[in-house]
């Protein structure tokens, strides 16, 4: 009977629940797991109680933007009172900020592949320790567009590197390891449908180039270092456009690679702050940039609401 | 007479002043330069008035640590009143934090090569627009040690990559560009002398490995992903030690490459929070870690005091 019960449970899990999994057998054997950059530990925090109900994780570079998002999504979902403050769950550190309301977790990741990678390792271990299942994770970020009107939103079809390849390369123990940067195709379509429902701003599905640098790495002419011409830059950006790339940012490739390795349904939704074919500097008025940055939040807020049957 | 005067001035500059220079001719022709991630612009801020007297720039990952440092150095140099608060010069953004007292600027850079690279591009342009000269820049950070007692401080002789090469590789317009990671040798010796003067904690001069990842990239066994054994890890770390590497962090190579390209005298001083030959998790008590993190600050604070003839 016990065996049959366990088997039924297993079948149920297989059919309905996709638990967050690690690609590392060592963690299950650890007595305590200190998530150093979150200032959280399984020895001092009850992860299943704190995070067990999480179904949506939204991540973005800026801590204050992720705080704005949790307040927005709380209000959209009818959770919490107007003006309610959400405590930073990682208050003991200033590496990242984390907020939660109902099934939604909002986490900052800083700028660049290494910064988001540290956060993702610890976030995925957090979700694993909390025994979360069926989690969708979405990066809501900012980017430079290629051939798009500023303020357009790009839903990433495929994350590619600075050579336009859908790969994330890493050095592990001194050796080159290459991972694929696949994202969830169905989720892309669901988000595109939400954008069409909302119909508030231009949204396209396209490839996203992920670079290790904002200035030379993205062909900018206005950094402290630059050894190429406007013509060289234009040739590179036009080649990127021809390869289906519609925006450039600094986190999508490792985000796609790590999330897919750990069974998380993942998407990237970024607003473009400028059209890189027209310039390099981000010099739109502050209030215009603030409104642009709310667009991925509005789209993903609507997606969550719809997923929960509240839209 | 005018020509002779200009020539005298030029000789004076050559002999006594080393101005911060850009490796990009485009910036001098720009009407306005928006340093987006600092929320500062030459169009709205008087850079020479605000920053012209800067001689020492200290950078580190954490905003709160860089705030602690400015208060510490103000007190050491006898500038400012006890308990005085220093406003965040980049208050309009949460990407970086910046503080100033007298000739010292303290700036946070987040985690990883891309994050510090964005900051350095904008910082060096700031120093250039402010017409700063004879600037010394020091990264005061945290790291994992190899074969050192936790709390030991490492002054970087040479920054090397994850294959132990003294190189910083970057993709520019889709092509591989490699820069050297040389640091100022005399500055290393001056800092080592200061450590000996202070004699408060173990300080060594050694190579520093700079990686793009904290978990797999540093051979940790406790990330969300891990596909190697303890034995593989130990072999890698011992090979690193044999190559003269004494600590591992995530910013030194691009820091050395960019600063040396722009004529800044640069050094890296990091405390080791653990010995990686003994483990992966950072689980020392909070107060112990806080004291460790003050050590690079004490060493560099003393160096600045001595440089200004106040020690």
């Amino acid at each position: 009977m016990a065996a049959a019960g366990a088997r039924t449970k297993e079948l149920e899990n297989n059919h309905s629940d996709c638990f967050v999994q690690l690609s590392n057998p060592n963690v299950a054997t650890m007595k305590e797991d200190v998530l150093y950059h979150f200032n959280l530990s399984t020895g001092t925090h009850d992860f299943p109680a704190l995070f067990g109900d999480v179904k949506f994780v939204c991540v973005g570079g800026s801590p204050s933007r992720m705080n704005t998002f949790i307040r927005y999504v709380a209000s959209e979902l009818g959770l919490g009172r107007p003006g309610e403050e959400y405590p930073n769950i990682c208050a003991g550190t200033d590496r990242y900020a984390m907020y939660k309301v109902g099934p939604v977790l909002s986490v900052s990741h800083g700028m660049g592949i290494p910064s988001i990678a540290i956060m993702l390792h610890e976030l995925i271990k957090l979700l694993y320790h909390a025994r979360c299942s069926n989690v969708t994770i979405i990066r809501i970020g900012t980017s430079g567009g290629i051939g798009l009107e500023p303020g357009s939103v790009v839903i990433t079809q495929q994350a590619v590197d600075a050579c336009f390849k859908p790969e994330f390369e890493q050095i592990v123990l001194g050796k080159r390891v290459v991972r694929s940067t696949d994202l969830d195709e169905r989720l892309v379509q669901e988000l595109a449908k939400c954008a069409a429902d909302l119909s508030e701003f231009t949204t396209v599905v396209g490839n996203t180039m992920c670079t290790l640098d904002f200035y030379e790495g993205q062909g900018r002419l206005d950094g402290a270092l630059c050894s190429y011409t406007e013509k060289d830059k234009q040739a590179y950006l036009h080649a990127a456009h021809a390869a289906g790339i519609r925006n450039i940012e600094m986190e999508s490739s490792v985000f796609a690679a790590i999330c897919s390795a750990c069974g998380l349904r993942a998407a990237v939704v970024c607003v473009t702050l400028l059209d890189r074919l027209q310039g390099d500097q981000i010099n739109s008025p502050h209030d215009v940039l603030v409104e642009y940055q709310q667009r991925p939040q509005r789209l993903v807020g609507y997606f969550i609401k719809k997923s929960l049957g509240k839209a």
Side-chain angles (χ1 to χ4, degrees), chain A:
Chain A
M1 284 299 281
R7 170 129 180 88
T8 308
K9 177 92 181 120
E10 191 188 294
L11 281 172
E12 270 172 23
N13 287 349
N14 282 347
H15 286 178
S16 62
D17 288 333
C18 177
F19 283 88
V20 174
Q21 65 209 19
L22 303 181
S23 181
N24 179 4
N26 302 317
V27 176
T29 69
M30 290 166 65
K31 262 192 194 161
E32 179 182 5
D33 189 7
V34 177
L35 308 182
Y36 176 70
H37 301 87
F38 285 158
N39 197 39
L40 298 174
S41 164
T42 57
T44 52
H45 295 77
D46 182 346
F47 284 27
L50 286 168
F51 304 109
D53 62 340
V54 169
K55 298 293 176 195
F56 302 93
V57 183
C58 295
V59 303
S62 145
S64 65
R65 187 152 33 84
M66 298 323 290
N67 180 273
T68 303
F69 178 71
I70 207 71
R71 286 186 279 120
Y72 173 72
V73 87
S75 130
E76 282 296 295
L77 298 181
L79 303 167
R81 292 172 299 279
E84 184 170 345
E85 288 301 318
Y86 294 88
N88 177 5
I89 297 168
C90 300
T93 176
D94 60 1
R95 300 298 191 170
Y96 303 109
M98 183 187 289
Y99 307 95
K100 182 179 183 297
V101 68
V104 184
L105 198 63
S106 174
V107 195
S108 73
H109 57 59
M111 288 186 287
I113 286 175
S115 187
I116 193 174
I118 295 174
M119 191 283 284
L120 287 173
H121 275 275
E122 301 188 10
L123 170 69
I124 293 171
K125 292 201 294 174
L126 178 155
L127 299 172
Y128 164 81
H129 291 304
R131 291 180 224 119
C132 294
S133 62
N134 305 320
V135 174
T136 298
I137 180 165
I138 304 181
R139 162 163 149 71
I140 47 176
T142 58
S143 64
I146 305 184
L148 293 174
E149 197 188 347
S152 301
V153 170
V154 179
I155 303 169
T156 303
Q157 179 89 57
Q158 190 150 49
V160 302
D161 67 12
C163 302
F164 315 156
K165 284 183 294 188
E167 292 179 355
F168 172 62
E169 177 184 318
Q170 209 183 337
I171 304 295
V172 178
L173 303 185
K175 294 183 192 76
R176 190 170 169 264
V177 172
V178 176
R179 294 205 170 99
S180 81
T181 53
D182 289 340
L183 291 161
D184 190 290
E185 281 178 43
R186 218 179 84 191
L187 185 52
V188 169
Q189 295 314 318
E190 286 174 33
L191 287 163
K193 177 72 173 59
C194 288
D197 288 357
L198 276 182
S199 196
E200 291 180 8
F201 36 78
T202 304
T203 304
V204 303
V205 173
N207 292 345
T208 296
M209 179 159 73
C210 179
T211 68
L212 279 159
D213 179 49
F214 183 82
Y215 286 94
E216 294 174 285
Q218 297 187 5
R220 275 190 164 78
L221 299 164
D222 64 339
L225 295 93
C226 175
S227 54
Y228 42 85
T229 65
E230 165 81 28
K231 203 180 147 189
D232 299 332
K233 166 197 152 175
Q234 290 292 341
Y236 181 63
L237 294 182
H238 279 94
H241 191 268
I245 295 167
R246 293 295 173 270
N247 65 338
I248 315 175
E249 44 80 270
M250 300 178 67
E251 293 87 12
S252 59
S253 66
V254 72
F255 174 81
I258 292 186
C259 293
S260 107
C262 295
L264 287 166
R265 207 163 80 114
V268 178
V269 178
C270 291
V271 70
T272 60
L273 299 181
L274 77 168
D275 180 3
R276 289 297 315 291
L277 298 180
Q278 307 301 323
D280 295 329
Q281 294 237 310
I282 302 168
N283 48 19
S284 293
H286 180 73
D287 56 334
V288 171
L289 292 174
V290 167
E291 194 276 321
Y292 286 173
Q293 293 179 37
Q294 288 164 354
R295 294 180 177 188
Q297 305 197 5
R298 294 218 297 278
L299 173 50
V300 172
Y302 177 77
F303 164 78
I304 293 173
K305 209 168 147 178
K306 196 172 160 185
S307 302
L308 294 172
K310 293 189 175 187

